[in-house]
Amino acid sequence: MEDQSYFHTFPAAQGTQAGRPFFIAMCPLRVIPKLFVFDEEEVPAELRAQRTLNRARVPEIAHYLLSRRDAYVMSALTASVDAAVKFLPFEPEKQSSLGYLQIPMEARILINDGQHRRAAIEEAIKENPGLGSDNVPVLFFVDEGLVRSQQMFADLNRYAVRPSDSLSTLYDRRDQSSELARYLAAECTTFKTLTEFEKSTISNRSTKLFTLSSIKRASRALLRKGPKEEVTPQERLIAKEYWEAVAEQIPDWVNARQRKVSTADLRQDFIHAHGVTLQALGMAGAELLATHPKNWRSKIKALRKVDWSRTNSPAWEGRAIVNGRISKSTSSVHLASNYIKQAMGLTLSPGDREIESRRSGRSSN
């Protein structure tokens, strides 16, 4: 048997995919930056096996590892080895699939999936060397050249689908605004039974009126909270009271909850049945609560007089509707919010007026 010092040796399991052997090994985090090569950015795309590294993503992942030292989760890396490897089963006579994987030290090991995690591991270990003793699973394939590696990258990412914002909100137990959204969907009369928890868009056949992600964005705007900011119990109660007060002034929402009207018809005919308006109501509500903390409930009654129909072009075209279609852009949210603020008798800020002037300029062209 050859000298072990010339090999990287890892406990591993052997398997087969499409007639090719592969190996799953446990690697200490401290060896990841030294062991795995990433094709540098100056290499042309046609000669690389994966996408260019987005440096902006690395600090966020590194911060996650460091801030969740006792609770982080990291999925497996996938890599190709450009040399012959050896697998030494624990029980050769039984053809065991468990054993040691030996990779020649001179081998080039190229990451097919996980390059941002690799870079983040390197950054995190610099700040907290103790992370180096943790392990990450690595899926090793024997490299068959650049073409095969490029195809592996394409195949690994072909069916990778980012979870919807609503599903991420449902499962995220660390984000305060996600917690707020789940609370409101469960406890606020306005959103009970009408919230879509898994999708961030609502189909025509759905009986739901709001998405969990739109509730999160709207309530974050209402409380003027950033993604990482804490939401106090008092603020949570204020949000619940505000949305219930809004619903009292929008009878269609109440009728939808009572199954007196089709949510599909509301989405087709009214602007208030879309996330852009919910977020605009949150933004307007923030100004209302800030300027009228004592009598905001009386001010909000003005919403009952608003014509929310999509045919009300003078109000909504160029705001929440652009060229006859619902717009979810940031400017559309702000412009719709301005209209709602004015409907409630609020004074527009200089920033609001600037946005209004730009809209007027576009309308006159």
Side-chain angles (χ1 to χ4, degrees):
M1 183 167 140
E2 297 184 36
D3 189 346
Q4 291 287 321
S5 64
Y6 293 98
F7 292 86
H8 298 293
T9 303
F10 305 99
Q14 182 182 40
T16 303
Q17 285 186 0
R20 297 181 176 91
F22 72 95
F23 309 89
I24 301 176
M26 294 297 110
C27 294
L29 293 186
R30 64 178 176 273
V31 308
I32 296 297
K34 302 175 183 178
L35 190 64
F36 297 99
V37 176
F38 173 71
D39 282 340
E40 297 299 331
E41 296 179 17
E42 62 267 17
V43 179
E46 66 271 17
L47 298 180
R48 279 192 265 112
Q50 68 271 53
R51 65 170 73 92
T52 301
L53 189 69
N54 182 353
R55 296 288 177 185
R57 291 182 56 193
V58 175
E60 184 177 359
I61 302 173
H63 175 72
Y64 165 72
L65 294 174
L66 292 165
S67 63
R68 302 294 175 182
R69 179 66 183 87
D70 299 323
Y72 76 85
V73 178
M74 179 166 287
S75 58
L77 309 178
T78 302
S80 297
V81 183
D82 71 348
V85 302
K86 290 186 177 182
F87 182 72
L88 307 176
F90 292 148
E91 299 179 281
E93 67 282 358
K94 296 183 179 179
Q95 297 183 328
S96 173
S97 62
L98 301 178
Y100 289 105
L101 175 66
Q102 291 187 330
I103 300 175
M105 287 189 174
E106 65 272 16
R108 179 180 170 90
I109 305 174
L110 186 70
I111 290 184
N112 299 105
D113 183 55
Q115 64 266 34
H116 293 93
R117 279 165 281 158
R118 174 218 172 276
I121 289 170
E122 184 174 14
E123 291 300 313
I125 289 177
K126 288 178 183 177
E127 187 167 337
N128 183 357
L131 275 168
S133 60
D134 286 7
N135 293 282
V136 63
V138 179
L139 184 64
F140 286 102
F141 289 90
V142 178
D143 188 21
E144 297 179 14
L146 177 66
V147 172
R148 171 64 177 167
S149 291
Q150 289 177 334
Q151 187 60 57
M152 285 175 61
F153 174 80
D155 289 346
L156 286 166
N157 289 277
R158 187 185 308 277
Y159 302 109
V161 178
R162 181 182 176 89
S164 70
D165 287 344
S166 286
L167 194 59
S168 295
T169 298
L170 180 62
Y171 291 154
D172 192 345
R173 302 293 169 173
R174 295 187 177 120
D175 177 44
Q176 291 278 314
S177 53
S178 294
E179 178 63 34
L180 172 63
R182 291 193 299 271
Y183 165 79
L184 291 171
E187 302 297 332
C188 183
T189 304
T190 308
F191 303 127
K192 274 185 178 179
T193 73
L194 291 177
T195 300
E196 168 57 59
F197 287 93
E198 295 190 32
K199 301 175 182 177
S200 293
T201 57
I202 298 178
S203 68
N204 290 334
R205 296 182 179 181
S206 176
T207 60
K208 307 302 182 183
L209 194 61
F210 312 100
T211 65
L212 191 62
S213 58
S214 67
I215 294 172
K216 178 174 73 172
R217 287 192 296 270
S219 299
R220 185 185 290 170
L222 173 67
L223 299 178
R224 292 176 171 168
K225 292 289 184 178
K228 307 293 183 182
E229 292 186 74
E230 181 181 359
V231 177
T232 67
Q234 180 62 26
E235 289 172 328
R236 192 167 69 168
L237 182 60
I238 289 172
K240 178 175 180 290
E241 292 177 348
Y242 174 78
W243 290 120
E244 289 183 342
V246 168
E248 290 175 4
Q249 309 309 320
I250 305 180
D252 286 332
W253 287 8
V254 178
N255 290 335
R257 190 175 66 249
Q258 297 174 350
R259 299 291 189 265
K260 294 180 179 179
V261 64
S262 164
T263 56
D265 289 343
L266 293 184
R267 284 190 292 276
Q268 180 176 337
D269 298 333
F270 296 96
I271 197 71
H272 61 49
H274 295 270
V276 59
T277 307
L278 192 69
Q279 192 171 351
L281 283 163
M283 185 179 291
E287 186 67 20
L288 175 65
L289 295 174
T291 56
H292 297 81
K294 301 295 184 182
N295 64 332
W296 65 267
R297 289 180 180 277
S298 61
K299 288 281 185 179
I300 212 170
K301 292 179 180 180
L303 293 179
R304 186 172 286 268
K305 298 180 181 179
V306 172
D307 181 358
W308 301 101
S309 63
R310 295 177 64 163
T311 56
N312 183 12
S313 297
W316 304 118
E317 181 62 43
R319 295 183 189 274
I321 298 176
V322 176
N323 297 325
R325 299 176 64 88
I326 298 293
S327 172
K328 300 179 182 179
S329 69
T330 301
S331 61
S332 292
V333 172
H334 206 141
L335 286 164
S337 172
N338 285 352
Y339 184 87
I340 294 169
K341 288 177 186 178
Q342 291 175 308
M344 293 190 294
L346 302 180
T347 301
L348 297 184
S349 69
D352 294 336
R353 292 196 295 272
E354 172 63 23
I355 291 176
E356 288 295 312
S357 66
R358 289 202 296 268
R359 173 179 179 265
S360 299
R362 288 194 300 268
S363 299
S364 62
N365 292 336

